[in-house]
Amino acid sequence: MNEEARNHHNEARRKVRARVETLLSGGAPKRLTPRARLEAAAYISALVTKIRAKEDGPSVTSLCAMLGERMSDSLERSSREPFRLHRWMLKAGVTEVTKDVAASYAHRAEPLRTTATYLLLVEHLAPLAGLDVLDTQSDLLTRLNIADGPRGAKMDEPEAAQKLAQKLHQHAAAMARNLDLARLFQRAEQLQIGWDPKVGADARTDLVLHDSAYFRAKEPVASRWWLEVAAPPLPSVKVARLAFGRLTGVFRLTDEDSNVQELEGEATAYWDLHVALGPTGPLTVGPLFLRSTSVDLRFLERSFCLPELQDDVYQFVSGYPSMPCIEWEARTWKVSCDAEPQYKAQPGASDVEPPSATVPNIRLEPVTPSTITAWLLSTQAPEDIDLLPMPPGTPTGWIRVESFARSVEAAIRDGRMDALYSDWVLRFTRGLDDFELEWRRDCAEGDAALRVRYQEAELKGDQA
């Protein structure tokens, strides 16, 4: 991990630690909503199940005794009697909050609702499950949608954004189960294989050779930095292209024979916005916004898509790291321009600089009501492109205003998102299978060469 990536990772953990400390000291929300308490209890149930599944896993009675001993000071209890763990869990065997589960708990006082107690339980249970405490607490906060503050704290946060955030998290859980993403992530961790979002799921990349971040199946993937050409293996659906940069002027085209043409044209830099599924913690797969970049070049009523550019439209000006090229009239042309790029900020987005001012990394952000507002509900520019337009006659859901958000919700409801995720997994898995065969064959051949070398060395020793 390079220094910049390490600093990013440490800063992400610092923010989680500060948020946990705020909640443990009584920060809002002190009590969870009826639905959120079920999600928290399901999380504790999953942790306990993982602990007890170990070969030497303790009984629930032993866990209650241990928690009563260790948590008494934190909970300001005068006695150290066993902790009543069942009051913070769902019934035996239930680790997911379905509609039926929610209905069965609608009028019950338990599980209880104190936020701090759930975080303390994670603090003491995560090590028994072999998990990092802070990553696990972050995972729980993300699942409860309170990682950045209390649910619904922003009064100007649209109800549409809150509804879609719920839908995307529920959909992520269903896709993780239906597509067995836990197994996919475990294989990808073993092999350290990612993909190139600029090209597609077929474009597998070796994370080791690219010196990218190390992919771990049970760590929050958004806390690390990833190169655009070596992204983590996250099933993704590209939902929109949002323009953020433009270069207008005279473009100089030079072919291999030094022939030159100068043409009026325009280049537009886009964020290619994906809804991805990835590890948000040790026990949870959640939705994330993944952004890569691409550039469209237009002149003479022709359009060229250039996803390989690393420095957005500024690469036409700087020529760094290489001069952009296009195939036109059966020739390869290098393209340059002396105009000044114009950039626009995305309302509510966390980015303060265009990609050309930084390392060519993908951007990963958890799906929350605020990130939905920034990326899916903000005003669309004329050059923005909806990649999931609603088919005629598609019934609307919670989101009625024309927006990328409405298209995404419709694609969830009519099954298009399911099919696109399934297709991504199928294509990526084929590449994973091919890589594993090649890897095992190369390793076996290397082992055979070692044995020959050892035998030759042994023969030389005997002859001596």
Side-chain angles (χ1 to χ4, degrees):
M1 187 188 302
N2 62 37
E3 188 64 27
E4 190 175 18
R6 185 180 295 108
N7 291 340
H8 176 77
H9 179 65
N10 291 340
E11 177 62 14
R13 288 178 65 83
R14 185 197 65 76
K15 288 180 179 179
V16 173
R17 189 177 292 109
R19 180 66 182 140
V20 169
E21 289 173 356
T22 297
L23 290 167
L24 288 176
S25 61
K30 291 184 179 180
R31 287 165 59 80
L32 298 173
T33 65
R35 172 75 187 203
R37 57 132 187 186
L38 298 182
E39 296 285 358
Y43 198 89
I44 298 302
S45 298
L47 268 179
V48 170
T49 298
K50 185 175 179 66
I51 292 167
R52 296 196 63 209
K54 292 190 169 186
E55 188 174 340
D56 57 347
S59 65
V60 173
T61 301
S62 299
L63 282 176
C64 290
M66 180 273 291
L67 292 169
E69 183 72 22
R70 296 183 183 180
M71 292 176 60
S72 57
D73 292 339
S74 300
L75 297 177
E76 299 180 353
R77 292 171 19 167
S78 57
S79 69
R80 295 181 180 270
E81 65 183 22
F83 183 82
R84 297 179 183 179
L85 188 56
H86 67 277
R87 303 185 73 185
W88 306 87
M89 295 171 58
L90 300 183
K91 55 190 176 184
V94 178
T95 58
E96 185 177 345
V97 184
T98 63
K99 187 176 180 180
D100 290 341
V101 168
S104 70
Y105 281 95
H107 303 292
R108 294 169 61 176
E110 296 176 352
L112 300 179
R113 294 172 57 183
T114 307
T115 308
T117 302
Y118 284 107
L119 288 170
L120 286 171
L121 283 170
V122 168
E123 179 181 326
H124 293 288
L125 293 175
L128 299 179
L131 303 173
D132 179 85
V133 170
L134 201 60
D135 283 348
T136 312
Q137 288 175 326
S138 174
D139 190 19
L140 175 60
L141 294 180
T142 299
R143 181 164 175 170
L144 301 180
N145 197 22
I146 56 174
D148 299 319
R151 184 190 298 267
K154 295 183 179 179
M155 298 306 293
D156 59 345
E157 202 167 76
E159 181 187 21
Q162 297 180 45
K163 293 291 187 183
L164 184 55
Q166 280 185 346
K167 281 281 175 291
L168 285 168
H169 279 270
Q170 292 164 0
H171 190 248
M175 289 293 95
R177 181 176 61 253
N178 296 346
L179 299 175
D180 197 6
L181 295 188
R183 181 173 179 273
L184 177 72
F185 293 152
Q186 287 166 2
R187 288 190 67 199
E189 177 177 350
Q190 178 194 17
L191 299 171
Q192 285 303 300
I193 295 300
W195 69 303
D196 185 348
K198 288 171 167 285
V199 181
D202 301 302
R204 70 167 193 250
T205 54
D206 190 329
L207 299 180
V208 177
L209 293 181
H210 280 85
D211 195 25
S212 193
Y214 186 86
F215 176 71
R216 292 179 172 87
K218 295 184 178 180
E219 287 189 4
V221 71
S223 67
R224 299 181 181 275
W225 281 13
W226 306 87
L227 294 174
E228 280 193 313
V229 295
L234 310 182
S236 301
V237 173
K238 190 188 296 187
V239 299
R241 301 181 73 203
L242 295 93
F244 68 85
R246 178 179 293 174
L247 181 67
T248 304
V250 176
F251 287 80
R252 176 184 291 267
L253 281 63
T254 309
D255 69 5
E256 301 97 322
D257 299 325
S258 299
N259 297 311
V260 175
Q261 293 192 56
E262 292 190 342
L263 300 169
E264 287 281 346
E266 178 181 80
T268 305
Y270 289 93
W271 289 120
D272 289 339
L273 181 68
H274 305 70
V275 178
L277 308 176
T280 53
L283 300 175
T284 305
V285 172
L288 305 119
F289 285 127
L290 181 158
R291 282 178 288 137
S292 56
T293 59
S294 61
V295 173
D296 284 2
L297 173 64
R298 301 179 186 87
F299 54 79
L300 297 180
E301 299 183 351
R302 290 289 307 276
S303 181
F304 304 85
C305 185
L306 307 174
E308 72 280 1
L309 297 198
Q310 294 182 28
D311 264 358
D312 62 68
V313 289
Y314 190 69
Q315 196 162 339
F316 291 105
V317 180
S318 67
Y320 177 84
S322 62
M323 192 70 72
C325 293
I326 61 170
E327 297 294 328
W328 184 47
E329 295 180 341
R331 294 184 182 184
T332 300
W333 301 81
K334 292 183 178 180
V335 186
S336 63
C337 183
D338 293 330
E340 187 67 25
Q342 301 296 316
Y343 294 103
K344 71 173 185 178
Q346 184 71 20
S350 59
D351 306 287
V352 294
E353 295 178 314
S356 56
T358 64
V359 176
N361 291 323
I362 61 167
R363 270 64 170 177
L364 276 176
E365 298 174 286
V367 168
T368 65
S370 59
T371 55
I372 285 174
T373 300
W375 294 109
L376 299 181
L377 279 171
S378 58
T379 304
Q380 293 177 219
E383 60 269 27
D384 292 347
I385 303 168
D386 188 344
L387 300 177
L388 291 176
M390 292 174 58
T394 301
T396 57
W398 289 102
I399 302 168
R400 299 185 62 80
V401 63
E402 184 177 359
S403 60
F404 296 134
R406 186 176 73 171
S407 298
V408 169
E409 183 187 13
I412 292 173
R413 291 183 181 277
D414 66 18
R416 282 178 291 150
M417 291 283 277
D418 297 44
L420 290 167
Y421 281 128
S422 181
D423 178 67
W424 190 101
V425 169
L426 179 65
R427 291 160 57 201
F428 182 77
T429 301
R430 280 200 297 258
L432 205 60
D433 292 342
D434 291 343
F435 177 86
E436 184 167 11
L437 285 173
E438 295 168 9
W439 168 63
R440 292 188 180 281
R441 184 194 63 218
D442 292 345
C443 288
E445 291 175 355
D447 290 347
L450 274 177
R451 286 193 294 271
V452 170
R453 198 175 81 199
Y454 296 155
Q455 290 168 359
E456 290 174 349
E458 187 175 353
L459 286 173
K460 288 180 181 178
D462 291 342
Q463 291 169 1

